[in-house]
C-alpha cells in the first residue's frame, strides 16, 4: 500500500510540470503513410518503431515528408493527397513546428463530406465545425493552448469462418481529447462491444469462442451474446526532451509489419506509466512500468457475502520494460529492448529503476520472474527496398545456443518490402517470416506467463510455431486501398501424453527432458489467402471488406471460405486478417 501511495505522489508531481499531446491509435491511416514515407526516404530523422506515436511526433514526420516532397522527392498522387489530408488533420501540431509562410507551398486537403455535398449549409450547421476544417464533429478552440474535440465512434463487422458460426460484432462509443492549458492534455477513447453468433458464449471458457480474443473483462449475459468494453485514455505531459504518459493504452515496439516479438501491440490495453527521453531525433529511450491481468485468474477467497457473492483477492501482475532506439547510420536504426513480467507481490523497486538491467535484477531476486531481452534493426531504404529483423531471448543457455535444448526459448522475425512507383502499379509488396521456439513466453509460475488477459504481449502465435506472410497493397487514389495477403502457419501442438512446448500456458516440467526440437509434436499446419479493400466514403467513415480461403494441411480441421464486411465511423479500421496462432 505504501508503494502505491509513493508512486501516486510521484506521478502527481510529474503531471504538474508541462505540456502534452495525445497518442494516435494503432490502425490509423497515418501510420501507413508514415511507413511509406520512411521506405521512400522522405523520413530520415529517427524511425517509426515505438507505437503509438504522439500527435506531435506524427506532425514532425508529416512536416519532414512535405519538406522532402517540396524539394523534389517523388510521391505517387494518392500519397500526395493523403499527405495533404493528414497535414490538415494535424494542423494544430504542425503550426507549432512551422511558420505561417510554410503553408503557402502546401495545399491542405479538404473534408470529403464538404466536397461531396457542395452545400455551404453543411459547414454552417455546426458553425463551421462539422467535418470541414479538421475532421471533428465537435471542435471548440478557445485559444492556442485551450481546446476540446469530441466525436462519436461506431463500427459494425460481420465475419465468416468455415469452422465456426458467423459472427457479428458491434462497437459504439466516443473519442474525447482536450487541452486545458499548455501544460496538460488528456484523451479518452471508450467503446462498448457486443459480439454474437458464435455461441454458446455462456460458459467458463468463453474467451476461446471469441472471433478476436483481445478483450478484457467479459459479460456473457446470454447464450449467444457476450459484451465487453474497449477503453484507453490518460494524460501526457512533455518537457523537452522528456515525455510522460500515464494511463491505459497499447504498446508496440519493433519494426515488424505483421507483429513484433517483444511488445506486439495486439494484446488488450493495460494501465502503465511510460517515460520517453527524446535525446534527439536519432536517439530515443523509453521506460515503462504497467499492471497486467492474469488469465486464468489466480485468486484467494476472502469471504462470502450475505448476497452470496464471493469476495476474491486477485494476485497482482506487473510488467516493466525499456527500449533504446538509435539511428546508427542514415540507413540503419538499431533497437535494444528488455522486459520483465512478475507478480504475486507488490511493486518491485528493482524494476522501478528506469536505468537498470532487468535480466540481472531478475537473477538477484532468485530467478523468480520472466525476463526477456531483444535486439532489432530497420534498414533502408536501398532504392525502393527496406529490410527489418528482430531477435528475442526469453531464456537461453549460452553454451547450447543453436541446439534443441529446451531452455533455449528464442523468437526471431525478419522481413523486407519493396515500394512500387504508385498509380495502378503495386504501391508496396512485402514478405515476413517469424518463429517461436518451444516454451517461448511460458513460465514455471503461471503469474509470469507473458500475457495480458488471454493474449500474448508479444507475437500472436503459440510457442513452437512459425509463420510465413506476404502481401501486396495498392492505393490507386487517396480514398481507396486494396490488396492481397497470404499466410502459412506451422505449429507443433502438445498431445495428451507429450508436452512439446506448444502452449503458452503450459511450461516445461522441471523433471522433463531437456530436449525440445522445433515443431515437434502434433503438427497442425494451416494457411490463409485473402483479398481486402478499404474505401473512405468521406472523412472518418470507411467501408472495409475481405474474402479468401482458410485451409488446413492434412485435414485436421475443415477449411473453406473466410470473409468479413464492416463499416467504421471515427474508428481506425482494424484488419484482423492475419493468421494468428491456432488454439
Amino acid at each position: 500500500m505504501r508503494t502505491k501511495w509513493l508512486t501516486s505522489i510521484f506521478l502527481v508531481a510529474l503531471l504538474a510540470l508541462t505540456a502534452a499531446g495525445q497518442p494516435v491509435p494503432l490502425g490509423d491511416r497515418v501510420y501507413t503513410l508514415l511507413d511509406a514515407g520512411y521506405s521512400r526516404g522522405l523520413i530520415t530523422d529517427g524511425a517509426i518503431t515505438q507505437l503509438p506515436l504522439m500527435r506531435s511526433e506524427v506532425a514532425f514526420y508529416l512536416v519532414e515528408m512535405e519538406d522532402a516532397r517540396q524539394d523534389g522527392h517523388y510521391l505517387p498522387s494518392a500519397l500526395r493527397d493523403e499527405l495533404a489530408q493528414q497535414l490538415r488533420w494535424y494542423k494544430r501540431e504542425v503550426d507549432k513546428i512551422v511558420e505561417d509562410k510554410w503553408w503557402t507551398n502546401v495545399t491542405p486537403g479538404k473534408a470529403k463530406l464538404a466536397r461531396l455535398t457542395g452545400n455551404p449549409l453543411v459547414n454552417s450547421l455546426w458553425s463551421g465545425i462539422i467535418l470541414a476544417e479538421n475532421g471533428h464533429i465537435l471542435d471548440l478552440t478557445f485559444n492556442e493552448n485551450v481546446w476540446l474535440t469530441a466525436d462519436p465512434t461506431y463500427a459494425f463487422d460481420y465475419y465468416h469462418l468455415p469452422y465456426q458460426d458467423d459472427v457479428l460484432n458491434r462497437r459504439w462509443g466516443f473519442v474525447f481529447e482536450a487541452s486545458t492549458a499548455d501544460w496538460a492534455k488528456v484523451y479518452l477513447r471508450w467503446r462498448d462491444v457486443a459480439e454474437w453468433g458464435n455461441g454458446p458464449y455462456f460458459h467458463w471458457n468463453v474467451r476461446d469462442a471469441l472471433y478476436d480474443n483481445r478483450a478484457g473483462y467479459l459479460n456473457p449475459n446470454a447464450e449467444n451474446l457476450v459484451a465487453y468494453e474497449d477503453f484507453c485514455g490518460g494524460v501526457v505531459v512533455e518537457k523537452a526532451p522528456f515525455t510522460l504518459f500515464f494511463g491505459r493504452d497499447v504498446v508496440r515496439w519493433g519494426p515488424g509489419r505483421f507483429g513484433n516479438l517483444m511488445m506486439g501491440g495486439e494484446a488488450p490495453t493495460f494501465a502503465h506509466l511510460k517515460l520517453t527521453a527524446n535525446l534527439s531525433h536519432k536517439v530515443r529511450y523509453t521506460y515503462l512500468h504497467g499492471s497486467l491481468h492474469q488469465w486464468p485468474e489466480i485468486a484467494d477467497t476472502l469471504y462470502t457475502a450475505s448476497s452470496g457473492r464471493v469476495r476474491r483477492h486477485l494476485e497482482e501482475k506487473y510488467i516493466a520494460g525499456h527500449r533504446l532506439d538509435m539511428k546508427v547510420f542514415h540507413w540503419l536504426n538499431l533497437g535494444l529492448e528488455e522486459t520483465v513480467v512478475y507478480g504475486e507481490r507488490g511493486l518491485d523497486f528493482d524494476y522501478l529503476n528506469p536505468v537498470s538491467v532487468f535480466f540481472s535484477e531478475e537473477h538477484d531476486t532468485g530467478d523468480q520472474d520472466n525476463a526477456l531481452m531483444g535486439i532489432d534493426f530497420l534498414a533502408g531504404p536501398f532504392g525502393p527496398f527496406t529490410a527489418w529483423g528482430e531477435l528475442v531471448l526469453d531464456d537461453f543457455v549460452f553454451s547450447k545456443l543453436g541446439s534443441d535444448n529446451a531452455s533455449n526459448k528464442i523468437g526471431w522475425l525478419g522481413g523486407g518490402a519493396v515500394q512500387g512507383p504508385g498509380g495502378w502499379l503495386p504501391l508496396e509488396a512485402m514478405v515476413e517470416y517469424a518463429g517461436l521456439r518451444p516454451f517461448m513466453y511460458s513460465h514455471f509460475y503461471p503469474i509470469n506467463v507473458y500475457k495480458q488477459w488471454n493474449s500474448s504481449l508479444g507475437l500472436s502465435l503459440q510457442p513452437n510455431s512459425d509463420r510465413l506472410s506476404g502481401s501486396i497493397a495498392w492505393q490507386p487514389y487517396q480514398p481507396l486501398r486494396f490488396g492481397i495477403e497470404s499466410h502459412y502457419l506451422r505449429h507443433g501442438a502438445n498431445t495428451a501424453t507429450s508436452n512439446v512446448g506448444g502452449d503458452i500456458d503450459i511450461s516445461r516440467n522441471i523433471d522433463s527432458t531437456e530436449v525440445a526440437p522445433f515443431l515437434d509434436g502434433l503438427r497442425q499446419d494451416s494457411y490463409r489467402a485473402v483479398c481486402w479493400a478499404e474505401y473512405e466514403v468521406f472523412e472518418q467513415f470507411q467501408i472495409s471488406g475481405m474474402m479468401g480461403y482458410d485451409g488446413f494441411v492434412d485435414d485436421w480441421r475443415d477449411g473453406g471460405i473466410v470473409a468479413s464486411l464492416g463499416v467504421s465511423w471515427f474508428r481506425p479500421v482494424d484488419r484482423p486478417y492475419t493468421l494468428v496462432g491456432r488454439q
Side-chain angles (χ1 to χ4, degrees):
M1 181 64 69
R2 179 179 300 175
T3 299
K4 292 185 177 180
W5 274 108
L6 289 174
T7 305
S8 299
I9 294 172
F10 171 71
L11 292 175
V12 171
L14 285 175
L15 293 178
L17 291 179
T18 47
Q22 290 88 356
V24 179
L26 299 186
D28 193 284
R29 292 174 65 97
V30 75
Y31 288 122
T32 302
L33 176 65
L34 296 183
D35 283 338
Y38 181 88
S39 298
R40 292 176 177 275
L42 279 71
I43 294 176
T44 58
D45 286 337
I48 307 165
T49 55
Q50 293 191 38
L51 301 180
L53 296 176
M54 300 300 171
R55 288 184 62 92
S56 56
E57 294 175 307
V58 170
F60 175 86
Y61 289 129
L62 292 177
V63 169
E64 188 176 10
M65 286 186 65
E66 177 60 24
D67 285 341
R69 186 195 68 81
Q70 293 183 21
D71 289 340
H73 282 70
Y74 172 73
L75 265 182
S77 59
L79 292 184
R80 291 200 305 269
D81 293 342
E82 185 75 33
L83 177 58
Q85 178 170 304
Q86 294 294 344
L87 282 169
R88 176 174 56 82
W89 181 264
Y90 291 91
K91 189 176 187 303
R92 261 197 200 99
E93 291 77 18
V94 170
D95 282 342
K96 294 182 178 296
I97 302 173
V98 303
E99 299 178 356
D100 290 341
K101 62 182 181 180
W102 182 86
W103 289 98
T104 58
N105 295 322
V106 182
T107 306
K110 188 177 181 183
K112 293 185 183 65
L113 182 60
R115 288 209 306 264
L116 286 173
T117 61
N119 188 341
L121 179 62
V122 173
N123 295 331
S124 62
L125 286 176
W126 295 76
S127 301
I129 58 177
I130 177 170
L131 292 173
E133 294 299 327
N134 58 8
H136 292 291
I137 288 293
L138 178 64
D139 184 351
L140 301 179
T141 302
F142 302 97
N143 59 51
E144 180 183 3
N145 297 315
V146 181
W147 49 265
L148 178 148
T149 64
D151 303 295
T153 176
Y154 182 84
F156 188 87
D157 296 288
Y158 159 82
Y159 304 107
H160 170 78
L161 291 173
Y163 46 88
Q164 65 182 39
D165 297 333
D166 292 352
V167 173
L168 299 176
N169 185 286
R170 184 269 303 150
R171 300 169 181 249
W172 69 269
F174 59 86
V175 179
F176 170 86
E177 296 184 355
S179 170
T180 58
D182 185 52
W183 54 269
K185 294 183 176 69
V186 300
Y187 76 101
L188 177 67
R189 303 186 187 108
W190 175 86
R191 287 186 289 267
D192 177 80
V193 185
E195 179 180 310
W196 63 96
N198 189 31
Y201 290 113
F202 197 74
H203 58 93
W204 73 273
N205 207 19
V206 62
R207 292 179 176 277
D208 292 339
L210 291 178
Y211 175 79
D212 183 0
N213 67 356
R214 295 175 294 180
Y217 175 75
L218 300 178
N219 182 22
N221 52 21
E223 183 176 349
N224 65 342
L225 174 68
V226 64
Y228 58 96
E229 295 176 53
D230 181 7
F231 162 73
C232 63
V235 180
V236 185
V237 297
E238 189 174 47
K239 180 70 171 179
F242 299 104
T243 302
L244 174 73
F245 167 81
F246 180 51
R248 173 181 291 273
D249 215 316
V250 297
V251 179
R252 180 172 180 177
W253 289 349
R257 299 294 183 88
F258 294 103
N260 289 286
L261 298 175
M262 185 75 82
M263 299 296 291
E266 298 182 88
T269 61
F270 61 95
H272 61 277
L273 166 74
K274 182 168 65 176
L275 179 65
T276 301
N278 295 291
L279 304 179
S280 73
H281 292 297
K282 299 182 183 298
V283 180
R284 170 184 295 178
Y285 175 79
T286 298
Y287 165 83
L288 73 83
H289 202 290
S291 175
L292 303 175
H293 192 103
Q294 168 64 21
W295 186 263
E297 292 177 333
I298 300 175
D300 290 331
T301 301
L302 301 181
Y303 63 89
T304 301
S306 58
S307 63
R309 287 185 176 271
V310 176
R311 180 69 171 178
R312 299 175 303 150
H313 171 76
L314 298 180
E315 293 291 351
E316 297 176 332
K317 180 176 181 178
Y318 301 98
I319 182 172
H322 47 205
R323 176 180 172 88
L324 178 66
D325 268 297
M326 299 174 290
K327 192 78 169 179
V328 182
F329 303 107
H330 72 278
W331 53 269
L332 177 64
N333 184 86
L334 185 65
L336 303 174
E337 54 191 358
E338 188 180 28
T339 60
V340 60
V341 171
Y342 67 98
E344 294 181 316
R345 64 181 189 270
L347 290 173
D348 194 320
F349 271 82
D350 291 331
Y351 300 137
L352 284 174
N353 181 4
V355 184
S356 181
V357 179
F358 293 154
F359 186 79
S360 178
E361 298 284 10
E362 190 258 350
H363 280 174
D364 189 60
T365 60
D367 199 17
Q368 300 292 302
D369 306 325
N370 191 4
L372 284 73
M373 298 186 297
I375 183 172
D376 59 67
F377 74 90
L378 177 59
F382 303 99
F385 299 100
T386 306
W388 57 86
E390 184 178 8
L391 176 67
V392 168
L393 306 178
D394 184 353
D395 198 3
F396 64 96
V397 178
F398 189 80
S399 61
K400 298 182 180 181
L401 283 176
S403 71
D404 288 334
N405 189 278
S407 296
N408 290 331
K409 299 157 61 177
I410 299 172
W412 60 90
L413 180 151
V418 57
Q419 295 284 333
W424 289 99
L425 295 176
L427 179 65
E428 183 181 61
M430 75 178 92
V431 62
E432 185 173 278
Y433 172 71
L436 303 176
R437 272 197 46 79
F439 302 106
M440 182 70 178
Y441 300 139
S442 66
H443 199 266
F444 292 118
Y445 305 112
I447 196 72
N448 294 335
V449 175
Y450 203 68
K451 296 194 310 181
Q452 159 69 341
W453 283 101
N454 202 44
S455 302
S456 169
L457 287 162
L459 197 67
S460 57
L461 294 181
Q462 285 283 7
N464 203 25
S465 300
D466 67 355
R467 182 180 67 201
L468 179 64
S469 304
S471 72
I472 300 176
W474 292 265
Q475 190 172 6
Y477 70 107
Q478 189 270 328
L480 176 64
R481 296 174 180 168
F482 59 96
I484 57 175
E485 287 184 16
S486 61
H487 308 273
Y488 188 86
L489 187 151
R490 301 184 299 174
H491 178 213
N494 295 343
T495 66
T497 58
S498 178
N499 179 13
V500 297
D503 190 323
I504 191 174
D505 289 311
I506 302 178
S507 172
R508 180 172 66 93
N509 190 289
I510 196 170
D511 297 323
S512 63
T513 176
E514 293 187 356
V515 178
F518 181 52
L519 296 180
D520 193 17
L522 177 63
R523 284 291 293 274
Q524 296 179 341
D525 299 351
S526 54
Y527 56 91
R528 174 178 294 180
V530 302
C531 57
W532 57 267
E534 300 170 359
Y535 183 73
E536 190 180 37
V537 179
F538 55 84
E539 192 164 88
Q540 298 300 325
F541 183 85
Q542 298 186 80
I543 300 175
S544 60
M546 174 271 291
M547 178 170 287
Y549 188 84
D550 229 21
F552 302 87
V553 180
D554 297 329
D555 297 327
W556 66 275
R557 180 186 273 179
D558 294 333
I561 298 296
V562 57
S564 72
L565 181 65
V567 297
S568 65
W569 189 40
F570 283 98
R571 186 181 79 92
V573 172
D574 184 15
R575 297 188 292 105
Y577 311 149
T578 302
L579 191 61
V580 300
R582 301 291 190 184
Q583 298 297 324

